[in-house]
């Protein structure tokens, strides 16, 4: 009798890249719900536009490379990139912003480097920075969270704003949009105002900005799910948040009047999304455990520095991209001690 | 991040190695039926290649009748092992036959047509029941005679392992009863059925090594084996032997991993357990040692697990060396209709065989036949996303994702930089890989490429050296020839110049001239030679007589 030839091991854990991507998408659902709750239909429409664009763009590139497209698209990594980018965009961003960003992420940042597994930079964050630098006005027009605004845009109105740029009668951009809490905080700090004064503003909730703190809470929930499902390990999120807490805590202790309290940093802006969903992107992050701690802590520190002294309101994207560059070097110097070897590793 | 985590397991302090896997063990399948003796087939194909090291030398020829236990191939080199006839019969063929190898490699085999009498040879050595009275070297000779090799699968000749060399004091004997690979249960079965023999074997080896203590590691998914081994120890009354239940986690049965679990010590990279005062043996090997020493029998059979959903009646068998897989599976009820994959060994480290006309040898512990439902064909590999699950699972704490990267790009120096040769090929990394990359295959590839390169380099070094030597020799010969010619030429030239005035002749002439001058001087001065003056009469008489005699003549 004759049999097939295969290599050992013969058994595989029922796990796949596809399952990992789907788990991450599932973990984003609470955050997406919170975003939709506070900022309206725009978030969902952006996600839809970005996802379709990403899948089409990826299929096109794979076709150009003369490879079967279905297995590549069905790993859902392009969709995940699209969703992460869409969540970082203002909810009423015009459609072409989303299309441009999503196509840039997939074609330039991911596929031109060789596709999944080969991109040195996080595609969603690289696209976000590309858009932020190219279209600063569009990228910084954020909506007020629903509790601060008496305007409720319905689905059709939102769609019309995104695709036609026409606002419903009687509404102007000024009435719709407002400063984000991070913007507010650091703009007013630059004007030499005290935290006490700034806190008088209606923008503030219990920890961070109203609405924003809840979005961050729900991202945290999704992050905890990822940890529980062992899709990610604790090293990167804990070191990102931990280092941001330590640096902002130290600054707060030095001068509470001019430095926001640590919880503000953690529950405002995109830090939760960044810590659990973006910095943990395995392709562009460090792969050794010790390296991941250094990588995460550096992102936290970088976020603190850019938020305090940088020109842009939020810093997660810049911090992640900067650390993406250093990841291979960090990996090289943080190799674990191999069983039976005395020193750290042979080359050191 | 410390990998040396101490744990308390079943009331004993143990250590935890890094990574590892919890996998379904599927061992019940083959433990449902009692241990059986497989029938000896009509034909046994006995490969000479059954162990690591040199091939033994043939001692029989076609047409010879051999008896069970008779030596048929003899180890001549140190790292080699004897092979004995597993049953009585006639040698009908000596030649190439496919052996158990993933590539279907052929090697020299002795084909024995059995006569069904299973008649023992009468040249077997005397049992050494009082082994305590024998020296280490006598016992070592017996084990070497018996052709015992590591029966856990590594097939290193046991006499080599039992001779750690001078200056290496062995304190601890570690006995491997972990059997961590899924499906395999032959060691479990052996421990349940022959615990006394194993303990006896342990005591022989402890005596040989003068080991102070012995730790027997058995995974806690084998409660019956633990129990029977424990009672065998109690029966022996030897309190230096400790039966230890260890957590079931693959690959706890790897030699270095088991040593770490039981002692917390690490075998140095590129080193041997003997370097840290430890020798490790599998339970099967110890039973074989018992048979060789106490019964005086060679290693000619072993326990083999036949299992998987592709076999009708899975179970454990005592199988004569050289029985074919096809024959053994037939004895286990044959294949089921949906048998798909034939694996020798377990699902983690075993290799598939294309054909089942393959003889079972001393190191074969399991024949696994699976169905496509049981082990689906691997889904195609997709690119690595560097998720690091492989590094979390690696028991050696390598970075499989980086090794893969460098092996794939044929950057073999880098793979060695990332400790490629510390990889034990346990398969944990591939098992957990979400991209289904056959990682171990890449490491095997890189290893063989490096070996090939080193071999090539060695050969080319030798060739270069030979060339250089030849070149040097030719130059030397040329130089010598030239020197000889030059000398000859010089000699000739010297001769020509001395012809005008030969020094010898000149010397003789000078001497004659000197003598003549002297004579003349003496005559001139009237001096006569002193010895003829003033002779006595007696002397004068003698002279006269002498002159007279001269005159007579």
């Amino acid at each position: 009798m004759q049999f097939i030839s295969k290599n050992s091991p013969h058994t595989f854990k029922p796990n796949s890249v596809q399952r990992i991507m789907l788990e991450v998408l599932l973990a984003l659902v609470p955050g997406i719900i919170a975003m939709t709750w506070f900022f309206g239909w725009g978030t969902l429409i952006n996600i839809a536009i970005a996802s379709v664009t990403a899948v089409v763009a990826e299929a096109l590139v794979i076709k150009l490379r003369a490879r079967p497209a279905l297995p590549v698209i069905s790993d859902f990594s392009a969709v995940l990139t699209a969703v992460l980018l869409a969540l970082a965009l203002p909810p009423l961003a015009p459609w072409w912003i989303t299309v441009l960003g999503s196509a840039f992420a997939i074609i330039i940042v991911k596929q031109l480097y060789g596709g999944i597994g080969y991109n040195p930079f996080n595609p969603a964050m690289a696209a976000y920075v590309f858009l932020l630098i190219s279209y600063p006005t569009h990228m910084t027009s954020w909506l007020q969270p629903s509790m601060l605004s008496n305007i409720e845009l319905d689905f059709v109105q939102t769609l019309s704003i995104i695709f036609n740029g026409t606002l419903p009668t009687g509404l102007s951009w000024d009435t719709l949009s407002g400063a984000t809490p991070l913007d507010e905080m650091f703009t007013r700090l630059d004007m030499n105002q005290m935290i006490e004064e700034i806190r008088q503003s209606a923008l503030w909730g219990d920890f961070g900005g109203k609405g924003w703190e809840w979005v961050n809470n729900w991202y945290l929930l999704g992050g905890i799910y990822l940890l529980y499902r062992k899709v990610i390990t604790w090293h990167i999120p804990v070191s990102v948040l931990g280092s941001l807490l330590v640096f902002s805590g130290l600054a707060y202790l030095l001068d509470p009047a001019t430095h926001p309290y640590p919880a503000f940093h953690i529950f405002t802006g995109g830090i939760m999304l960044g810590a659990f969903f973006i910095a943990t992107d395995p392709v562009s992050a460090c792969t050794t455990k010790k390296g991941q701690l250094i990588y995460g802590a550096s992102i936290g520190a970088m976020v603190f520095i850019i938020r305090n002294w940088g020109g842009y309101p939020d810093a997660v994207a810049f911090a992640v991209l900067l650390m993406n560059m250093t990841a291979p070097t960090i990996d090289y110097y943080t190799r674990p001690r191999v069983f039976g070897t005395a020193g750290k590793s042979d080359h050191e | 991040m410390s990998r040396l985590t101490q744990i308390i397991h079943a009331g004993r302090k143990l250590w935890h190695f890094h990574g590892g896997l919890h996998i379904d063990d599927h061992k019940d399948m083959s433990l449902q039926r009692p241990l059986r003796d497989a029938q000896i087939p009509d034909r046994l194909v006995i490969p000479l290649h059954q162990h690591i090291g040199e091939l033994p030398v043939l001692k029989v020829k076609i047409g010879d009748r051999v008896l069970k236990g008779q030596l048929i191939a003899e180890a001549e080199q140190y790292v080699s092992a004897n092979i004995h006839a597993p049953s009585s019969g006639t040698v009908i063929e000596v030649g190439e036959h496919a052996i158990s190898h993933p590539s279907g490699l052929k090697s020299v085999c002795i084909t024995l047509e059995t006569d069904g009498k299973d008649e023992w040879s009468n040249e077997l050595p005397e049992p050494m029941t009082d082994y305590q009275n024998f020296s280490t070297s006598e016992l070592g000779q017996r084990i070497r005679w018996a052709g015992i090799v590591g029966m856990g699968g590594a097939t290193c000749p046991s006499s080599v392992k039992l001779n750690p060399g001078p200056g290496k004091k062995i304190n601890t004997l570690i006995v491997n009863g972990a059997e961590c690979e899924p499906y395999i249960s032959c060691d479990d079965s052996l421990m349940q059925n022959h615990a006394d023999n194993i303990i006896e074997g342990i005591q022989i080896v402890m005596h040989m090594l003068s080991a102070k203590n012995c730790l027997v590691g058995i995974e806690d998914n084998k409660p019956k084996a633990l129990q029977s081994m424990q009672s065998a120890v109690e029966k022996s009354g030897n309190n230096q032997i400790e039966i230890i239940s260890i957590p079931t986690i693959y690959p706890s049965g790897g030699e270095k991993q088991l040593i770490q679990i039981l002692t917390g010590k690490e075998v140095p990279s590129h080193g041997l357990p003997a370097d840290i005062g430890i020798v490790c043996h599998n339970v099967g090997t110890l039973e074989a040692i018992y048979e060789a020493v106490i019964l005086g029998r060679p290693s000619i059979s072993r326990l083999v697990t036949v299992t998987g959903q592709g076999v009708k009646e899975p179970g454990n068998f005592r199988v004569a060396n050289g029985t074919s897989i096809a024959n053994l599976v037939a004895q286990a009820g044959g294949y089921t209709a949906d048998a798909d994959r034939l694996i020798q060994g377990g699902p983690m480290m075993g290799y598939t065989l294309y054909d089942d006309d393959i003889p079972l040898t001393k190191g074969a512990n399991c024949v696994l036949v699976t169905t496509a439902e049981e082990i689906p064909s691997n889904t195609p590999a997709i690119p690595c996303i560097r998720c690091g699950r492989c590094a979390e699972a690696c028991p050696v704490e390598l970075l499989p994702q980086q090794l893969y990267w460098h092996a794939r790009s044929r950057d073999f120096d880098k793979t060695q930089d990332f400790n490629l040769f510390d990889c034990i090929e346990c398969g944990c990394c591939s098992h957990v890989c979400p991209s289904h990359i056959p990682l171990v295959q890449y490491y095997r590839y890189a290893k063989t490429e490096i070996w090939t390169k080193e071999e090539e380099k060695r050969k080319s070094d030798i060739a270069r050296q030979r060339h250089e030597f030849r070149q040097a020799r030719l130059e030397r010969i040329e130089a010598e020839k030239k020197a000889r010619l030059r000398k000859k030429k010089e000699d000739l030239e010297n001769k020509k110049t001395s012809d005008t005035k030969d020094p010898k002749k000149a010397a003789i002439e000078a001497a004659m001239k000197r003598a003549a001058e002297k004579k003349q001087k003496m005559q001139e001065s009237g001096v006569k030679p002193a010895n003829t003056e003033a002779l006595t009469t007696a002397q004068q008489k003698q002279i006269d007589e002498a002159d007279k005699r001269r005159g007579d003549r």
Side-chain angles (χ1 to χ4, degrees), chain A residues 3 8 10 287 335 337 340, chain B residues 3 266 269 347 401 417 444:
Chain A
F3 301 87
S8 69
H10 302 279
T287 186
R335 288 149 52 178
R337 184 181 72 88
Chain B
R3 101 279 289 304
E266 282 180 33
S269 167
Q401 69 276 46
D417 200 21
R444 288 194 191 115

Side-chain angles (χ1 to χ4, degrees), chain A residues 17-34:
Chain A
V17 171
Q18 187 190 47
R19 191 192 69 89
I20 292 174
M21 298 297 164
L22 287 173
E23 292 257 30
V24 178
L25 284 169
L26 187 65
L28 280 169
V29 168
I32 294 172
I33 292 173

Side-chain angles (χ1 to χ4, degrees), chain B residues 4 55 123 349 417 446 470 472 474 494 513 547:
Chain B
L4 254 189
L55 287 189
E123 285 169 5
M349 292 185 73
D417 200 21
R470 180 167 180 273
L474 291 179
N494 283 345
K513 206 174 162 188
D547 283 341

Side-chain angles (χ1 to χ4, degrees), chain B residues 286-299:
Chain B
L286 290 160
E287 207 245 355
I289 289 173
Y290 158 83
E291 292 211 346
V293 174
I294 306 292
L295 307 179
R297 288 182 180 174
S299 170

Side-chain angles (χ1 to χ4, degrees), chain A residues 1-21 67 71-72 75 77 114-119 226 229-235 280-293 327-328 331-332 334-348, chain B residues 1 3 102 256-257 260 265-269 335-336 339-343 346-356 369 375-378 382-389 392 395-399 401-402 404-405 408 414 416-419 422 426-427 430-438 440-441 444:
Chain A
M1 194 163 161
Q2 287 173 341
F3 301 87
I4 55 166
S5 282
K6 292 281 175 185
N7 300 320
S8 69
H10 302 279
T11 55
F12 285 94
K13 210 174 179 181
N15 190 16
S16 66
V17 171
Q18 187 190 47
R19 191 192 69 89
I20 292 174
M21 298 297 164
R67 293 187 185 189
V72 177
D75 68 20
S77 62
I116 187 169
Y118 295 97
N119 48 301
L226 288 184
R229 298 286 297 164
K230 294 186 176 155
V231 173
I232 57 171
T233 59
W234 59 269
H235 302 80
T280 54
D281 164 30
V283 176
S284 53
C286 279
T287 186
T288 64
K289 292 294 166 231
K290 221 190 284 171
Q292 289 178 349
L293 292 176
D331 275 344
Y332 187 78
T334 54
R335 288 149 52 178
R337 184 181 72 88
V338 171
F339 184 97
T341 54
K344 274 189 168 179
S345 56
D346 287 349
H347 75 285
E348 276 169 294
Chain B
M1 302 248 279
R3 101 279 289 304
K256 293 178 173 183
Q257 281 64 43
Q260 188 174 25
K265 289 182 189 167
E266 282 180 33
V267 178
S269 167
Y335 298 105
T336 58
D340 172 61
R341 203 182 287 210
L342 173 64
I343 299 167
M348 295 301 290
M349 292 185 73
Y351 45 86
T352 54
L353 295 172
Y354 174 65
D355 188 73
D356 61 359
V369 188
I375 294 184
S377 280
N378 327 353
I382 61 168
C384 167
I385 58 164
R386 296 163 55 79
C387 66
R389 279 169 179 71
E392 283 165 32
V396 190
E397 232 175 317
L398 297 170
L399 291 172
Q401 69 276 46
Q402 309 288 66
Y404 161 70
W405 190 268
R408 201 180 133 94
K414 261 281 174 14
Q416 279 175 285
D417 200 21
F418 278 88
N419 302 69
D422 285 303
C426 64
S430 306
H431 183 89
V432 298
C433 179
S435 296
H436 305 292
I437 301 169
V440 181
Q441 198 54 23
R444 288 194 191 115

